[in-house]
Amino acid sequence: MCRYLLHPCCPLEAPLTHLPPSLPQVPEIQYFGASALHTKISRYWGDIPAEQYDSLKKQLFSQISHFASGSKMVLTRLCVALASLALNMMPEAWPGAVTEMVRAFQEEGGGADGRARCLALLELLTVLPEEFQTSRLPQYRKGQVRGALGQEWGSVLPLLQQLLRQADSPGLVKARVLKCLSSWVLLDVPLNESEGLVQDSFAALGDPELFDTAVEAIINAISQPDSQRYVNTLLKLVPQVLQLQEQLRAAVQAGDMETSHGICRIAVALGENHSRALLDQVEHWQGFLALVNMIMFCTGIPGHYPVNETTSSLTLTFWYTLQDDIMSFEAEKQAVYLQVYRPVYFQLVDVLLHKAQFPTDEEYASWSSDEKEQFRIYRVDISDTLMYVYEMLGAELLSNLYDKLGRLLTASEQPSSWQHTEALLYGFQSIAETIDVNYSDVIPGLIGLIPRININNVQLADTVMFTIGALAEWLADHPVMLSSVLPLVLQALGNPDLSVSSVSTLKKICRECKYDLPPYATNIVAVSQEVLIKQIHKTSQCMWLMQALGFLLSALPVEEILRNLHSLITPYIQQLEKLADETPNPSNKLAIIHILGLLSNLFTTLDISKQEEEGGDGVPLVKSTPPQPGPNPVVVVLQQVFALIQTVLSKWLNDSQVVEAVCAIFEKSVKTLLQDFAPMVSQLSEMLGQMYSTIPQASALDLTRQMVHIFASETDYFPPIKALFELVTSVTLSIFQQGPRDHPDIVDSFMQLQAQALKRKPDLFLSENLDVKAVFQCGVLSLKFPEPPTVKSTCLFFTELLPHCGDIPPVGQVVQEDGKLLLQAVLEGIGGQSSRNLMDQFAEILFSMNKHCFALLSLWLKEVLQRPSFPSSRVSMEQKDTFSQQILRERVNKRRVKEIVREFTLLCRGLHGTEYAAEY
């Protein structure tokens, strides 16, 4: 019967009795048959009768012997099938499985020559541990089988050693031996037991045909977590690695990247995995230091990454590990090690900065865009390493860099390359970006050196800009130095090649140093206006530049702010007026969005008073300093352009991007100005209502939410906010009546608005003009949307609404009447209709219902869960009762409710107890 199993049309459930003497002759069909057999054994083991185990085993041995000289792909699949059979039978039903495999293939006969049988055996021994790693054995069985395999290593080791050491063993056999070793060491076989074989693997590195497999075998052997217990063996391996230095240098000199890469991988694997264990062996400190220096050579391997070499990047993690291990020692021991290794890390800094250097302009121009991007990422990795090394070397590192840069810039006899200067500056930038350098005594000298740099290259100019930007906080504490660097930044603004670095640096300076910039304000605004008018920068940089100007203007007196705003934005207002008169087309749409974006970004940062306390959305609620007298400059400008914006809207109301850009101006202004925005509340509320009534869009709802957040609790502004809230709610309810599925973004924003209203001003739900029942029903409908963000927002709405069952009568009434529908929708989502990532949000609703309407929930749960196959056909009545009792019991512990819901959704989805569920 089993021949049908090995036929492509055979179902996997066919009974296993015996294998035919030969399979069909087409290799693809044979491969399919062998794969089907493996699937049957590995996934449907319970279907195979125990009395057929031995018969199946013998026939698999026979077939493997038959195919030892045949198709390699079929042989491999048959070996995998036998490996799966062994794993399922070990240790009780097939004790000594590996020993029997070795013996079976060492015996004469079977229709294959000795070399073919040997390769077949090695293939079987190689796939056995691999099959174990991917097997679906239960956890308790995995432990048993792993133990049995560990005991069988004693049968495999002598065979592998014999084959590897035999002078007449073919290269292919030795390569398979090394691959087999790689496979077995993944089972954490004791390193001391395989020590001889690992040393033989080092000897194999001299054979080019065996080099790659030997590298993998050695790395796998020394990288196993358990190997650190065998310190004596590790100490014996250190000299073995050090002996590879001659081969490494020869490979580097010959440009043999593959060999140098492999040897460096071995050195790094030993150092990275066992630095702590080797550091602890104080009497062997010179050997480990030699290994560290070998890895240093690998870090500084000649050539530019990634074009001439790809090895140096492998070593960076080692330096983190070594530093962590040294710094983890107690103070006295740490001091001893620092004496030895601080000079090593200073050398490392020199090596890293050398590796970070750009190639010549000509060479760099020949690189592909992909190579340039890899080099950029590599430099970021070097930057991160330098930042980490600073924790060990401290201020002395900055002094060291400063001395080198000073010598470089003041040396008259030999002009230095721009690459060298750039790399040293890059080192400063790497540290200053994340480390507080305010205490450093070399920064004033660095600021003094920067103007002396001959900036004749874009990469160097970029790094100069980023370095100045990294020192923005220091400049805020030392404003007298601003005059040294600001001219450089303003000059760079006019260079499109320095767009990102110059604009981001100016933005940082304006943000950190704004109270020291008034003397320079006129010049900064003038230069910024010029580059904006000339359209030197791309859109995103123009937006950053406007943010920079917002920070800058914030520190000026109101009359100066207004004067600068007038000169800054008048050209854009005039352009917007012209565009508003034109017939809408794609070209003027982009121009309108650009101008509105500039205004938005300017108003995002233009804040004449400091903000203190933050509200729930990260939006500040109060200001800590009184505003300057008179109307806020942003409000003055908004009032002046309000009519123009309405004109633009009237023509572009159908375009969501233009509407979004308009709303962004007001939304960012509201977030920044808070109560200072008050004079605009009435007219903006009216405009928003008209906009949304004509063509509902999500951006209008988001702006309404911000207005509710800031002004709903203000008595003077409650009437227009209330009217706006009722209007947009009414319009959105009509969308639900027509079918909301085409507008998930509107539904999402609407639910967020309702949640915000309940949070900031629950009294809005007392209004006779608000149909609370309809809003509730829309929420129930929204819970069934396929878009997770929409469902999350809806869950937030219900968790804000349910606590008001007792204090807002309309809410209490609708929950009593329709709460059962809400529960049903939540249970449907838990039952499998919604993403598993939403279970915590559904749990929040259940927790809130349990806390605020317990009696109703207990009744509804009983009624709803009585229905057969609800919320899933996979859960029994008993499981549903257990879930109900667990939920009702937890009225305080929200975390526990989430656990209960997660557990229940796995049951509903048929995932409980699976490996997939273990990741949940």
Side-chain angles (χ1 to χ4, degrees), residues 111-396:
D113 62 40
R115 180 167 174 264
R117 286 201 316 279
C118 178
L119 289 171
L121 173 59
L122 288 172
E123 182 69 18
L124 176 57
L125 293 176
T126 301
V127 300
L128 183 61
E130 292 171 355
E131 179 68 7
F132 173 77
Q133 303 290 353
T134 58
S135 68
R136 297 175 174 231
L137 294 171
Q139 205 58 42
Y140 78 95
R141 283 276 298 137
K142 274 208 164 187
Q144 290 177 344
V145 175
R146 179 186 283 274
L149 286 171
Q151 291 173 5
E152 298 271 22
W153 173 235
S155 301
V156 180
L157 180 61
L159 172 70
L160 299 184
Q161 283 183 322
Q162 178 190 350
L163 292 172
L164 197 55
R165 291 172 181 175
Q166 274 180 355
D168 60 346
S169 283
L172 182 58
V173 170
K174 289 185 176 181
R176 293 285 177 83
V177 168
L178 292 166
K179 193 177 176 188
C180 187
L181 172 61
S182 281
S183 182
W184 275 85
V185 295
L186 295 176
L187 294 174
D188 278 339
V189 295
L191 183 62
N192 62 340
E193 292 181 14
S194 54
E195 178 185 319
L197 202 48
V198 173
Q199 295 202 355
D200 293 339
S201 302
F202 274 98
L205 290 170
D207 185 338
E209 290 183 7
L210 301 178
F211 183 82
D212 289 341
T213 45
V215 167
E216 295 304 323
I218 293 167
I219 289 173
N220 285 341
I222 61 181
S223 299
Q224 292 312 301
D226 195 49
S227 59
Q228 61 191 348
R229 294 197 296 132
Y230 305 100
V231 177
N232 289 333
T233 301
L234 293 172
L235 289 171
K236 292 177 189 174
L237 294 179
V238 172
Q240 294 274 358
V241 176
L242 294 176
Q243 284 175 14
L244 299 173
Q245 288 183 93
E246 189 177 334
Q247 187 180 354
L248 171 62
R249 293 179 190 279
V252 169
Q253 198 166 357
D256 183 354
M257 287 173 64
E258 288 187 10
T259 300
S260 59
H261 193 79
I263 294 173
C264 287
R265 284 181 62 206
I266 292 172
V268 170
L270 183 60
E272 193 174 308
N273 287 289
H274 305 295
S275 64
R276 180 61 188 243
L278 294 171
L279 279 168
D280 278 329
Q281 307 309 305
V282 181
E283 64 277 15
H284 298 279
W285 69 272
Q286 288 175 311
F288 183 61
L289 182 59
L291 177 65
V292 170
N293 285 324
M294 182 179 176
I295 295 172
M296 181 76 77
F297 176 82
C298 297
T299 303
I301 202 162
H304 286 287
Y305 182 95
V307 177
N308 312 115
E309 63 90 7
T310 56
T311 298
S312 56
S313 62
L314 301 175
T315 67
L316 298 181
T317 309
F318 164 75
W319 298 108
Y320 286 81
T321 305
L322 179 60
Q323 179 176 323
D324 285 343
D325 289 336
I326 292 171
M327 302 307 282
S328 68
F329 287 127
E330 64 276 8
E332 190 176 335
K333 193 173 181 181
Q334 184 187 114
V336 174
Y337 279 98
L338 285 175
Q339 276 189 322
V340 176
Y341 286 99
R342 271 176 67 87
V344 172
Y345 272 84
F346 274 113
Q347 183 190 349
L348 173 66
V349 171
D350 292 340
V351 168
L352 289 176
L353 290 179
H354 180 73
K355 293 297 293 182
Q357 286 186 24
F358 280 88
T360 62
D361 295 339
E362 185 181 358
E363 187 181 347
Y364 190 66
S366 71
W367 286 11
S368 68
S369 57
D370 185 51
E371 288 168 339
K372 289 177 180 177
E373 176 61 11
Q374 285 184 58
F375 182 60
R376 184 194 68 78
I377 295 169
Y378 175 67
R379 278 170 52 98
V380 171
D381 291 340
I382 287 177
S383 174
D384 292 342
T385 309
L386 289 171
M387 177 195 72
Y388 203 75
V389 166
Y390 180 84
E391 293 183 21
M392 176 189 277
L393 302 182
E396 194 180 339

Side-chain angles (χ1 to χ4, degrees), residues 741 779-786 791 821 824-825 828 833-834:
R741 273 302 303 120
V780 172
L781 186 61
S782 304
L783 282 178
K784 301 176 184 180
F785 270 46
V791 179
L821 294 175
Q824 192 169 316
E828 284 173 3
Q833 289 193 9
S834 297

Side-chain angles (χ1 to χ4, degrees), residues 359-592:
T360 62
D361 295 339
E362 185 181 358
E363 187 181 347
Y364 190 66
S366 71
W367 286 11
S368 68
S369 57
D370 185 51
E371 288 168 339
K372 289 177 180 177
E373 176 61 11
Q374 285 184 58
F375 182 60
R376 184 194 68 78
I377 295 169
Y378 175 67
R379 278 170 52 98
V380 171
D381 291 340
I382 287 177
S383 174
D384 292 342
T385 309
L386 289 171
M387 177 195 72
Y388 203 75
V389 166
Y390 180 84
E391 293 183 21
M392 176 189 277
L393 302 182
E396 194 180 339
L397 173 55
L398 289 177
S399 301
N400 186 287
L401 292 175
Y402 174 67
D403 291 343
K404 285 187 169 69
L405 185 62
R407 287 196 297 272
L408 205 62
L409 295 176
T410 55
S412 53
E413 66 279 359
Q414 186 178 355
S416 62
S417 69
W418 70 262
Q419 287 93 339
H420 199 171
T421 305
E422 189 277 337
L424 285 168
L425 274 178
Y426 186 68
F428 267 112
Q429 175 203 328
S430 302
I431 295 163
E433 271 181 336
T434 48
I435 306 290
D436 181 8
V437 295
N438 279 2
Y439 64 88
S440 173
D441 55 1
V442 304
I443 302 300
L446 172 63
I447 296 287
L449 284 175
I450 285 176
R452 301 186 59 163
I453 297 172
N454 178 23
I455 304 176
N456 55 3
N457 177 278
V458 170
Q459 282 87 14
L460 175 58
D462 256 338
T463 302
V464 169
M465 286 299 108
F466 284 127
T467 303
I468 295 171
L471 296 171
E473 288 186 34
W474 184 91
L475 288 167
D477 292 335
H478 306 83
V480 70
M481 304 300 287
L482 280 167
S483 58
S484 299
V485 294
L486 256 181
L488 289 173
V489 178
L490 294 179
Q491 184 183 352
L493 274 183
N495 186 342
D497 291 331
L498 303 177
S499 183
V500 173
S501 60
S502 62
V503 174
S504 65
T505 296
L506 181 63
K507 181 182 168 183
K508 286 179 180 178
I509 290 174
C510 289
R511 184 182 64 216
E512 301 298 337
C513 312
K514 63 182 178 184
Y515 297 112
D516 302 299
L517 289 178
Y520 311 97
T522 304
N523 195 20
I524 294 173
V525 172
V527 173
S528 300
Q529 271 187 284
E530 185 181 351
V531 300
L532 285 166
I533 290 167
K534 289 181 179 177
Q535 298 182 340
I536 287 174
H537 302 293
K538 292 180 180 177
T539 299
S540 55
Q541 278 72 55
C542 291
M543 302 306 159
W544 292 358
L545 188 51
M546 279 303 209
Q547 288 179 22
L549 293 172
F551 286 124
L552 173 72
L553 297 179
S554 298
L556 301 179
V558 169
E559 55 274 13
E560 284 190 41
I561 296 175
L562 288 169
R563 186 171 66 250
N564 279 291
L565 279 176
H566 179 74
S567 65
L568 185 62
I569 67 176
T570 295
Y572 295 109
I573 301 304
Q574 291 171 348
Q575 191 181 350
L576 194 60
E577 287 173 343
K578 183 183 173 187
L579 291 166
D581 290 336
E582 294 177 5
T583 304
N585 65 66
S587 174
N588 56 26
K589 170 186 168 178
L590 290 175
I592 288 171

